[in-house]
C-alpha cells in the first residue's frame, strides 16, 4: 500500500469510505432504536412495570455507549458521523415506535430492533473482514455476540 491510497490507519481509502457509509447506516439505526427504547422505558405500564422499566434503562444505556463507539469508529476511518435526526430517519431501517406502553409490545419492539442491528452488523463484519479492517470487524463481532444472547433472552421472556 502506498500513502496515496490509504488513510491514517493504513486502510485503502475506498474501503474506508464504504465502511464509514455502512457504519453511518448502523449509527442511524442505533439512534432510532435508542429513542424507541427510551420511549419503552418512559411509557411501559402493567404488571411487569418495575422489571421492564429497569431492563429498558439497562438496554438504552448500553445502546448510548454503542452510538458513541460507532460514531468514533467513523471518525477513526477519517469520515464524519451523521448527527441529525432527519438524516437518521432517512437512513434507518428501524422505524420509530410511538405510543407503545404494553410490556409485551415493548419487548417485541426490542427483539425486532436487535434483529435489524444484528443483520446490519453481520454485513459490516463481512465488509470489514474483506477490507482487513480488524477494528471495525472486532466492534461488529462483539456487538453481534452480545445481542444474539439478548435476543434469545428477550424471546425466552416472551415465551
Amino acid at each position: 500500500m502506498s500513502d496515496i491510497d490509504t488513510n491514517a490507519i493504513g486502510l485503502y481509502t475506498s474501503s474506508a469510505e464504504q465502511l464509514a457509509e455502512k457504519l453511518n447506516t448502523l449509527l442511524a439505526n442505533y439512534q432510532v432504536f435508542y429513542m424507541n427504547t427510551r420511549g419503552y422505558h418512559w411509557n411501559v405500564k402493567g404488571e411487569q412495570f418495575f422489571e421492564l422499566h429497569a431492563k429498558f434503562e439497562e438496554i438504552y444505556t448500553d445502546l448510548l455507549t454503542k452510538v458513541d463507539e460507532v460514531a468514533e469508529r467513523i471518525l477513526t476511518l477519517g469520515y464524519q458521523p451523521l448527527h441529525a435526526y432527519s438524516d437518521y430517519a432517512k437512513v434507518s431501517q428501524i422505524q420509530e415506535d410511538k405510543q407503545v406502553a404494553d410490556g409485551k409490545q415493548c419487548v417485541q419492539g426490542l427483539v425486532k430492533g436487535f434483529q435489524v442491528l444484528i443483520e446490519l452488523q453481520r454485513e459490516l463484519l463481512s465488509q470489514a473482514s474483506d477490507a482487513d479492517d480488524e477494528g471495525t470487524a472486532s466492534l461488529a463481532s462483539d456487538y453481534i455476540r452480545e445481542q444474539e444472547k439478548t435476543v434469545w433472552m428477550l424471546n425466552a421472556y416472551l415465551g
Side-chain angles (χ1 to χ4, degrees), residues 23 62 64-74 139 143:
L23 282 160
D62 181 65
L64 189 57
T65 298
K66 287 177 172 56
V67 162
D68 195 52
E69 290 172 349
V70 171
E72 288 178 352
R73 187 65 196 167
I74 294 165
L139 189 80
Y143 291 178

Side-chain angles (χ1 to χ4, degrees), residues 3-90:
D3 291 337
I4 297 170
D5 299 322
T6 60
N7 66 6
I9 60 172
L11 297 175
Y12 286 112
T13 53
S14 60
S15 296
E17 183 177 10
Q18 291 170 358
L19 287 163
E21 191 175 309
K22 189 71 165 178
L23 282 160
N24 263 316
T25 299
L26 183 62
L27 178 63
N29 280 274
Y30 265 105
Q31 287 282 39
V32 172
F33 190 44
Y34 166 78
M35 288 307 300
N36 285 349
T37 307
R38 286 300 299 241
Y40 301 152
H41 171 77
W42 291 330
N43 296 307
V44 68
K45 292 179 178 27
E47 292 178 23
Q48 285 83 32
F49 168 81
F50 291 105
E51 176 185 359
L52 292 176
H53 184 75
K55 186 53 141 177
F56 297 154
E57 183 174 4
E58 176 188 319
I59 291 172
Y60 78 65
T61 300
D62 181 65
L63 291 171
L64 189 57
T65 298
K66 287 177 172 56
V67 162
D68 195 52
E69 290 172 349
V70 171
E72 288 178 352
R73 187 65 196 167
I74 294 165
L75 289 162
T76 300
L77 292 172
Y79 295 89
Q80 185 175 25
L82 296 176
H83 59 274
Y85 277 99
S86 57
D87 290 331
Y88 300 147
K90 290 177 195 170

